[in-house]
Amino acid sequence: MTGRIIIDLFTTLDGVAQAPGGPEEDTSGRFPFGGWQAGVPDDAVGRWVMEGMSTLDALLLGRRTYDIFAGYWPQHTTGPEGSIGRLFDRVPKYVASRNADLALDWQGSTRIGDDLPAELARLREKHEDVHVIGSIDFVHTLLDGQLFDVLQLWVYPLVLGRGKKVFPDGAAAANLTLLGAEAGGGGAVSLRYAPAEGEIRTGVMGS
């Protein structure tokens, strides 16, 4: 069975996915809301995330997110976050970058990006569930090229009005198929989509 490229993103109602985890995660554009996820806790999200991790056997990350993960997770393999830390430390890590001289010190890390469609095809042959976590700039490339199998969005009841969005202005037009939806107790909603073929259809409602 062919493996899947799964994009995991925390996002607001207006589609902002920038820096949900902390103030210093991504300050580009003078983004003032870093760590916005902490202000709207929802236990269901933690459960959904752990369910997704149960089949994760590789990580695919953009350079910025890789650096954040490499500086954090190897030091958090015990305690409350230990199960995630050990998983991330153990599985192969693929980093999307065109920099052939990129230094990757975290064990099991490999650079890709010279021929992304072909490299992703090889990852699907090698792995069951390759998760793209965060990495919003890289995600834009995957979405525009329909180079993914599942888009997992955890949508929080917030409107920030600024920041990097899942689908920014100018994103490639595309159809998606809803795979599943579930509401959490704290207001977050889990939405799962797959790419769908065909051009956007327009018309007049009711005709």
Side-chain angles (χ1 to χ4, degrees):
M1 180 178 178
T2 303
R4 303 181 297 174
I5 306 297
I6 301 173
I7 299 171
D8 296 326
L9 289 175
F10 301 111
T11 177
T12 64
L13 281 173
D14 56 337
V16 176
Q18 183 173 351
E24 304 304 320
E25 184 178 327
D26 181 358
T27 59
S28 60
R30 297 185 178 180
F31 184 63
F33 298 115
W36 54 262
Q37 184 185 10
V40 193
D42 193 320
D43 291 341
V45 175
R47 185 181 74 251
W48 295 331
V49 168
M50 293 309 297
E51 288 173 354
M53 297 294 175
S54 65
T55 57
L56 181 155
D57 60 351
L59 285 171
L60 174 57
L61 306 171
R63 174 61 193 275
R64 182 193 296 271
T65 301
Y66 173 82
D67 287 342
I68 293 172
F69 277 30
Y72 183 85
W73 287 112
Q75 288 74 48
H76 291 79
T77 57
T78 60
E81 299 175 314
S83 61
I84 296 178
R86 290 189 297 273
L87 174 64
F88 288 176
D89 207 40
R90 182 180 72 250
V91 302
K93 276 78 66 176
Y94 300 95
V95 187
S97 174
R98 290 189 174 90
N99 181 5
D101 298 321
L102 185 65
L104 301 174
D105 298 326
W106 194 5
Q107 65 176 2
S109 298
T110 304
R111 183 187 70 86
I112 67 169
D114 294 330
D115 185 351
L116 195 57
E119 289 164 317
L120 295 182
R122 287 194 289 271
L123 292 187
R124 288 186 179 94
E125 293 175 356
K126 188 174 182 179
H127 300 288
E128 180 179 350
D129 279 350
V130 181
H131 283 247
V132 183
I133 300 176
S135 308
I136 185 62
D137 294 324
F138 174 51
V139 164
H140 291 160
T141 298
L142 297 177
L143 294 175
D144 282 350
Q146 296 278 295
L147 298 173
F148 69 99
D149 301 289
V150 178
L151 173 61
Q152 168 68 69
L153 300 177
W154 292 291
V155 184
Y156 282 72
L158 292 171
V159 174
L160 300 182
R162 61 185 297 185
K164 296 177 182 178
K165 294 187 176 184
V166 179
F167 296 101
D169 289 345
N175 291 306
L176 297 172
T177 297
L178 181 66
L179 299 176
E182 186 176 357
V189 178
S190 169
L191 299 173
R192 298 174 68 247
Y193 295 96
E197 296 182 355
E199 298 181 356
I200 301 296
R201 298 177 61 184
T202 63
V204 177
M205 291 295 294
S207 62

